[in-house]
Amino acid sequence: MPLTLATEVVTLKTKHPFVIARGGDDETRVVWVRLTDADGVEGWGEADPSRYYGETADTVLTVLQRLAPHLPRDPFDLEAAEARFAQTVPKNGAARAALSAALHDLVGKRLSQPVWKLWGLDPVRAPRSSFTIGLDTPEKMRQKVVEASPYPILKIKLGTEHDEQILRVIRDATDKPLRVDANAGWTRDRALRMFPVLKEYGVEFVEQPLPPEDLEGIAALHRRGILPVVVDESCIVAADIPRLAGAVDGINIKLAKCGSLREALRMIATARAHGMLVMVGCMIESSLGITAAAHFTPLVDAADLDGAALTANDPFVGATIDGGQIRLPTGPGLGVRRRTERGG
Ligand SMILES: [Mg+2]
């Protein structure tokens, strides 16, 4: 009997409106995907659409209907299933990632093993996650730094007219390690001026300083060697990595971009073959979406998996970043369950 697919739109509310260089919002609609096999075993996944890549909860639902006929008869047939999904809808990474996560969850549950164990990983090697401070007024940003006190590493979103002021406000409020994401918001000149300033402020690395297509400009920043350059918007799938070799220090993997857990593993292997740093990031997601990415974090150098921690109504319990340390669940599959009324 084939797998049956059920979908449900979940509206996540963020604790604060989440604003980056391109704009922001305080509500995000994600799609909870459930696959059920003939024995009633369920695999869960979440699609966390990125507006930047043209996805919304509604496009996800449409794409899932298109992909449903391509679900495997045998959930263990993961490689072929994911290849069919990517062939049917080459973009729409968030929708495909939800099915990929659900299939991996189902396989893990059938084998009674967590996904990280099936991959031969040691959960102790998972790195600490940064916590993101979104763009806001200086006063609100100071307040967010205080709220982020349990998290040992902060990520700041820049790419505005008043980046220096933001840096000063954050640095005055904390001496924690900082990472910066410009979300493609700078010009070459602006980036050249900002890098030494960021270095002054003790920033560890800079994510996507320039528009994704300006690889030449990004490579020039990398060559200056002031701070490591990690690309996010310039790197979607493993096939993007060879042309980035020598031009950047690292890549940021997101399931919403690459569309599958197995593609994330291929990206890690490809980046390593080119001597690059590997980071994993996320969208605003519930703990279901975050946990799918958390399972491969023992293989990465840096993580920004704060998507669920930024929400006020996370319906799931899975991987956590309490105190900044990523902790993987030990239950079978993704190890995610619904949160109970009492919050536990
Ligand atoms: Mg980014």
Side-chain angles (χ1 to χ4, degrees), residues 74-159:
D74 175 358
F76 285 80
D77 195 14
L78 292 161
E79 284 287 337
E82 292 193 349
R84 273 198 310 277
F85 299 157
Q87 210 174 9
T88 309
V89 277
K91 305 225 163 165
N92 302 83
R96 287 186 287 115
L99 291 181
S100 171
L103 286 171
H104 282 81
D105 189 33
L106 188 50
V107 162
K109 283 175 179 160
R110 295 223 65 124
L111 297 173
S112 304
Q113 297 295 337
V115 170
W116 55 261
K117 200 162 200 175
L118 297 175
W119 287 341
L121 303 179
D122 179 357
V124 169
R125 299 190 74 100
R128 296 184 304 176
S129 172
S130 55
F131 186 83
T132 305
I133 308 287
L135 295 174
D136 218 321
T137 61
E139 197 174 321
K140 284 257 176 66
M141 290 184 81
R142 259 189 294 271
Q143 186 194 331
K144 286 179 183 177
V145 171
V146 173
E147 284 173 29
S149 61
Y151 301 96
I153 307 165
L154 300 183
K155 173 164 148 176
I156 326 172
K157 295 288 196 177
L158 294 182

Side-chain angles (χ1 to χ4, degrees), residues 155 157 181 183 207 232-233 252 254:
K155 173 164 148 176
K157 295 288 196 177
D181 188 355
N183 284 111
E207 207 180 307
D232 178 353
E233 287 88 338
N252 186 2
K254 286 180 188 153

